[in-house]
Amino acid sequence: MTLTVTPIPLFKDNYAWLLRDSGSGATAVVDPADAGPVEAAIEAAGGRLDLILLTHHHADHVGGTDAVRARYGASVVGAAADAHRLPKLDRAVREGDTVGLGNAVGSVIDTPGHTLGHIAFHFPDGPALFCGDTLFSLGCGRLIEGTAAQMFASLKKLAALPPDTLVYCGHEYTESNARFAVTAEPGNAALQARAAEVGRLRAAGRSTVPSLLAEELAANPFMRAATAERLGEIRAAKDRF
Ligand code: ZN
Ligand code: FE
């Protein structure tokens, strides 16, 4: 494994992620929403930043981008589809494009649903998935712009990645997601085990992210929805929960 990933907790429950290719020292940050803590993490890791990767345009993901870029001269990568409402991009990417970080290579996956231009980055070297507000542990993002059918298709793409992929999502929402999930799928033993683990981790003040993709496939009702209609039903129920 050449890619190391460090969480940067931001605001109340956001995560930015610091990625470092250990062979070359090349460093990237995903969703640097708050420049102060992100710059502190970069300094602690050696003061180098090559790339800024943006999952979607919401301020709680992109807010610190311009300040961080100005300080380090890093290259900003985001969705071509949302270039008009993202911070200034040095590179606008589409599904199937790749981003190099030293010896590690990430691929871009279109994941509309939460927003229309949402993308995820998959690094087989982690193996790591940076999925912003598309897939959460035991949950998925709200359908702010997209449809249930779009989110269903996006989650299916993520579900097809290798099951040992670590899921680095954008929020520590797992405990509240678990409370809803057990009502959506009451007979799921894997979900009950994960919910209990999450309760123990949070009670100890620990993070529940990243999770393993295999765990999400076994326990996350949104990943497990058999149809877009079912996904739409449980997403609407979660909005009211
Ligand atoms: Zn968002
Ligand atoms: Fe968010």
Side-chain angles (χ1 to χ4, degrees):
M1 191 198 289
T2 62
L3 195 71
T4 59
V5 182
T6 307
I8 310 172
L10 303 178
F11 310 128
K12 183 165 151 276
D13 53 25
N14 275 80
Y15 289 118
W17 299 101
L18 193 72
L19 287 59
R20 190 169 177 280
D21 173 57
S22 48
S24 63
T27 303
V29 64
V30 178
D31 288 352
D34 189 6
V38 167
E39 291 176 6
I42 294 165
E43 292 305 309
R48 170 176 174 175
L49 188 70
D50 300 85
L51 279 179
I52 297 173
L53 306 178
L54 304 177
T55 63
H56 68 296
H57 73 282
H58 287 157
D60 68 312
H61 296 261
V62 304
T65 299
D66 291 340
V68 173
R69 178 223 250 124
R71 176 157 171 185
Y72 296 99
S75 177
V76 179
V77 179
D82 268 350
H84 62 287
R85 57 181 180 173
L86 286 164
K88 183 180 179 323
L89 300 179
D90 297 293
R91 197 171 154 220
V93 293
R94 296 179 166 77
E95 172 134 319
D97 285 348
T98 58
V99 288
L101 182 69
N103 301 313
V105 179
S107 60
V108 175
I109 305 172
D110 273 338
T111 56
H114 176 66
T115 66
L116 290 176
H118 198 299
I119 58 176
F121 299 91
H122 174 236
F123 285 82
D125 275 340
L129 172 69
F130 300 92
C131 51
D133 290 357
T134 298
L135 171 63
F136 294 124
S137 185
L138 302 183
C140 78
R142 279 178 187 265
L143 302 177
I144 294 176
E145 297 178 358
T147 63
Q150 286 174 317
M151 180 61 87
F152 181 77
S154 295
L155 293 179
K156 281 285 166 273
K157 282 194 251 181
L158 302 184
L161 296 172
D164 63 342
T165 300
L166 290 163
V167 178
Y168 294 90
C169 61
H171 288 272
E172 179 62 61
Y173 284 165
T174 318
E175 192 166 33
S176 67
N177 285 343
R179 279 196 287 274
F180 170 76
V182 296
T183 70
E185 222 186 313
N188 183 331
L191 169 55
Q192 275 159 17
R194 172 67 174 155
E197 179 194 35
V198 165
R200 285 192 297 273
L201 287 168
R202 296 308 290 159
R206 292 172 60 192
S207 172
T208 66
V209 183
S211 59
L212 201 56
L213 184 60
E215 281 182 330
E216 300 305 327
L217 293 168
N220 182 330
F222 298 91
M223 277 297 248
R224 296 167 56 74
T227 63
E229 290 67 32
R230 169 67 179 159
L231 175 65
E233 280 169 22
I234 59 175
R235 185 58 262 183
K238 173 72 162 66
D239 289 346
R240 296 188 302 266
F241 187 71

